[in-house]
Amino acid sequence: MKMGVLALQGDFAEHIAKLKHLGVETAEVRLPAHLEGLSGLVIPGGESTTIGKLAVDFGLMAPMIQFGEKHAIWGTCAGAIFLSRDARRSQPLLGLMNITVQRNAFGRQVDSFEADLDIEPLKQATNTTAPYHAVFIRAPIIESVSGEAKILSTLPDGRIVAAQQGKLLATSFHPELTSDDRFHRYFLSLANA
Ligand code: GLN
């Protein structure tokens, strides 16, 4: 399998390193032609407005939407915003996932934190029991999910931080920045399914 990572802006290099560590062939995606032959696509964290503007400039919007109708796509943080249908403001969005997000939902002063999450499907898929340690950096909250989209994980107070819709995944946090590789393995299992 070959996994693409959208390489317009943000921490795509960290995702590529993680996938390579798992023995997966990777490709940096900057143009529509780069989507050919991929089993899935990761959209990294960064700045969702910048990623969206560049995706428009490079003619990637329609090709990525088409790709996501059949293949696995995982958005982390800014990538999750870009996958959403509604970010409560005007910016280019793929609109593939039935989720509404609120950007920078944890405020300006305390804009980064870490939390241990219980994510049952992830534990089952990787046959492990340890909680998942998640890093949030100017993170969005998934305000609501609808239709086919399902909640994958919440903070202890109930706020949604991960959602899944078939082969589409959105996480508010950054699994590419920690050593735990279970989320990448979980995504690979969706891409392979
Ligand atoms: N705050 C950024 C945005 O709204 C996301 C931050 C991140 O990806 N770490 O796009």
Side-chain angles (χ1 to χ4, degrees), residues 45-48 77-78 81 103-104 137-138 174:
E47 193 56 46
S48 59
C77 203
I81 297 166
R103 294 178 59 190
N104 304 319
I137 304 167
R138 290 185 304 115
H174 288 274

Side-chain angles (χ1 to χ4, degrees), residues 11 44-51 76-79 81 91 103-104 136-140 172 174 176-177:
D11 69 341
E47 193 56 46
S48 59
T49 42
T50 308
I51 292 172
T76 60
C77 203
I81 297 166
Q91 67 182 77
R103 294 178 59 190
N104 304 319
F136 296 80
I137 304 167
R138 290 185 304 115
S172 299
H174 288 274
E176 72 280 16
L177 297 182

Side-chain angles (χ1 to χ4, degrees), residues 147-169:
E148 311 247 289
K150 302 277 177 275
I151 297 170
L152 202 56
S153 180
T154 62
L155 292 171
D157 63 11
R159 285 183 289 179
I160 307 165
V161 289
Q164 181 174 346
Q165 179 180 325
K167 292 185 172 198
L168 304 175
L169 263 186

Side-chain angles (χ1 to χ4, degrees), residues 66-192:
Q66 268 177 8
F67 184 86
E69 281 161 1
K70 290 215 172 96
H71 300 90
I73 303 186
W74 174 20
T76 60
C77 203
I81 297 166
F82 192 42
L83 269 179
S84 75
R85 205 175 50 181
D86 184 357
R88 294 186 161 278
R89 50 175 278 168
S90 176
Q91 67 182 77
L93 299 174
L94 294 177
L96 283 163
M97 284 188 79
N98 289 323
I99 59 175
T100 297
V101 301
Q102 192 195 334
R103 294 178 59 190
N104 304 319
F106 297 97
R108 287 193 187 135
Q109 273 185 315
V110 188
D111 49 15
S112 300
F113 65 99
E114 305 188 8
D116 282 330
L117 304 175
D118 261 316
I119 309 177
E120 276 315 316
L122 179 101
K123 288 184 186 172
Q124 277 166 25
T126 56
N127 211 7
T128 54
T129 54
Y132 189 86
H133 190 71
V135 174
F136 296 80
I137 304 167
R138 290 185 304 115
I141 270 294
I142 300 170
E143 271 183 359
S144 62
V145 305
S146 62
E148 311 247 289
K150 302 277 177 275
I151 297 170
L152 202 56
S153 180
T154 62
L155 292 171
D157 63 11
R159 285 183 289 179
I160 307 165
V161 289
Q164 181 174 346
Q165 179 180 325
K167 292 185 172 198
L168 304 175
L169 263 186
T171 56
S172 299
F173 47 91
H174 288 274
E176 72 280 16
L177 297 182
T178 48
S179 59
D180 194 334
D181 62 14
R182 284 180 291 166
F183 233 104
H184 284 78
R185 281 156 54 199
Y186 183 60
F187 179 63
L188 292 174
S189 75
L190 295 182
N192 264 326

